[in-house]
Amino acid sequence: VKGQGMKNAINNPTPYHGAKPFNRITGEFHPPKSNHPTFPKVFGKHLLKMAEEDPHLVTITPAMPVGSCLDGFMKRYPDRCIDVGIAEGHSLAYAGGMGHGGKLKVVACVYSSFLQRAFDNIYHDVCVQRSPIVIAIDRAGLATGDGVTAQGLYDIAFLNCMPNMVITQPRNGHVLKELLESAFDWNCPTAIRYPNLSTTEENLPLEKRPLGKGEVLAEGKDVTLIALGHMDKIALDTRTLLLEEGIEACVIDPVFIKPLDEALLLEKFQESHLIVTIEEHALQGGLGSIINHFIMQKGLSHLKVVNIGIPDTFIEHGSHRHLLEKFGITPEAIAKQVLEKMPKPELAL
């Protein structure tokens, strides 16, 4: 029961469950600051398009159809959009069973913070069975308005340890759509994580994504910046600041966290003096930890590494911008660290 004392909220409990800024007299929500769609809206709209083209596609949600932008899907195909209620573990076990054998294309949509409740089910009912479902991990990253209990900062850490699991993250809406179109071709459990932030959609043809292939967004020989997903803009802005100091940075979007594009990383690491990982995820167990392990495995002891991300602490409420600034995930803060860590040129005798 929502909104005691305000008629709008009493009559519309779902949109007021996580209320955005609104006029306290009329109860009407203020218009959004951005005209761009959010990652969840791009996901919901494109998944419905895929469902229109393929009758074998079904989706499962544990009581999050509106938040995950599946309401259009549910209205159009009520028999193929299954809400199992607040039962995250069951939703993944159910998805694993439905998807086993590949006759159905199953997409399970769960918020990152709630996915933790399904750890055992993902392992036993999805990965052990090698059920080729897609886990759409919504709200992956900072849950700015929800505080300690709802941060989406730990899914990489617990999914990465599971055999047969693919983990990927798109930097924008276009890449998200390409990953959705490609995931069932890989024939293995796939987690696609994305934040609840505005993004862009390029009006370009969709191309299939090869499994485990990253992208170079900008070339450079001195520093390699590895930017996970929507951290690409921060990395590119950091590169601009470093160019002013005479430092050329290569910017990589890994696209895949598991498996890594080892060939691409080895090629770029040979050219660099410093590696910087940038992620909106806990540093312990996140992309930075994975890259550090890769560097040790390959014996690249000459490299210096800086990991930028969320430290080992509980995260309180705050705006997205404020929290990024607090934890040094800004172009200015990252450029400063790079300048401090870069090898100093030897003085000529």
Side-chain angles (χ1 to χ4, degrees):
V1 178
K2 303 290 181 184
Q4 295 300 321
M6 193 172 86
K7 190 174 181 180
N8 279 39
I10 294 170
N11 294 336
N12 302 281
T14 298
Y16 282 89
H17 174 74
K20 301 176 178 63
F22 60 88
N23 184 311
R24 62 182 181 177
I25 304 299
T26 66
E28 294 179 355
F29 290 114
H30 294 319
K33 294 181 180 179
S34 173
N35 293 324
H36 295 298
T38 62
F39 278 92
K41 286 183 178 178
V42 172
F43 164 79
K45 183 178 178 180
H46 193 69
L47 193 68
L48 176 56
K49 180 177 180 295
M50 290 173 63
E52 291 170 346
E53 298 171 354
D54 189 343
H56 296 97
L57 192 147
V58 299
T59 185
I60 297 170
T61 175
M64 307 168 203
V66 176
S68 294
C69 297
L70 295 175
D71 41 342
F73 193 128
M74 180 168 281
K75 184 177 180 180
R76 182 76 176 273
Y77 301 112
D79 295 335
R80 292 163 57 194
C81 185
I82 304 165
D83 186 347
V84 300
I86 304 175
E88 291 85 357
H90 169 62
S91 73
L92 267 299
Y94 191 19
M98 288 181 70
H100 191 263
K103 291 183 179 179
L104 292 176
K105 295 179 179 178
V106 182
V107 181
C109 311
V110 188
Y111 290 6
S112 174
S113 60
F114 299 150
L115 193 66
Q116 293 154 196
R117 300 173 182 170
F119 179 97
D120 191 59
N121 306 89
I122 298 169
Y123 179 80
H124 283 284
D125 303 306
V126 178
C127 289
V128 171
Q129 310 302 328
R130 199 180 174 89
S131 184
I133 70 166
V134 171
I135 306 174
I137 307 179
D138 198 345
R139 271 64 167 174
L142 291 164
T144 57
D146 294 330
V148 169
T149 60
Q151 302 297 336
L153 302 172
Y154 312 106
D155 52 90
I156 292 174
F158 66 79
L159 291 176
N160 186 59
C161 65
M162 297 189 186
N164 294 334
M165 177 62 74
V166 170
I167 313 171
T168 183
Q169 180 166 348
R171 64 181 178 271
N172 56 39
H174 184 78
V175 178
L176 172 56
K177 290 187 282 188
E178 291 189 331
L179 291 172
L180 285 170
E181 292 282 352
S182 307
F184 290 107
D185 294 343
W186 306 327
N187 198 34
C188 53
T190 297
I192 304 176
R193 66 189 309 268
Y194 49 88
N196 186 22
L197 296 172
S198 62
T199 184
T200 57
E201 293 181 275
E202 298 172 348
N203 188 23
L204 296 172
L206 297 178
E207 297 182 6
K208 288 296 184 78
R209 289 266 167 175
L211 178 61
K213 298 297 290 185
E215 288 185 68
V216 176
L217 304 183
E219 294 285 0
K221 64 183 187 326
D222 301 318
V223 182
T224 298
L225 307 177
I226 305 174
L228 182 58
H230 60 290
M231 296 287 99
D232 65 317
K233 186 177 187 307
I234 289 176
L236 291 168
D237 289 347
T238 301
R239 182 179 187 273
T240 300
L241 294 176
L242 292 173
L243 279 174
E244 296 173 1
E245 303 293 333
I247 296 172
E248 295 182 4
C250 171
V251 178
I252 293 177
D253 174 6
V255 185
F256 291 87
I257 303 151
K258 183 183 183 182
L260 291 173
D261 189 339
E262 295 192 2
L264 175 64
L265 295 179
L266 285 172
E267 176 190 344
K268 297 304 176 184
F269 286 4
Q270 298 298 330
E271 304 170 357
S272 297
H273 304 293
L274 179 67
I275 309 301
V276 181
T277 63
I278 309 170
E279 61 189 308
E280 196 173 303
H281 185 279
L283 285 171
Q284 295 199 357
L287 176 70
S289 293
I290 293 168
I291 294 296
N292 295 348
H293 180 67
F294 172 77
I295 288 171
M296 286 192 300
Q297 276 191 319
K298 299 301 180 182
L300 304 174
S301 57
H302 67 285
L303 291 173
K304 289 185 176 182
V305 183
V306 174
N307 298 135
I308 306 293
I310 307 299
D312 188 24
T313 186
F314 291 116
I315 312 300
E316 301 292 345
H317 298 77
S319 70
H320 191 248
R321 178 178 178 180
H322 167 75
L323 291 174
L324 291 182
E325 290 175 349
K326 179 179 180 179
F327 297 119
I329 312 177
T330 66
E332 295 77 14
I334 298 170
K336 182 180 178 182
Q337 285 211 49
V338 170
L339 293 172
E340 291 172 352
K341 298 287 186 180
M342 279 292 291
K344 300 297 186 290
E346 296 182 8
L347 296 175
L349 298 176

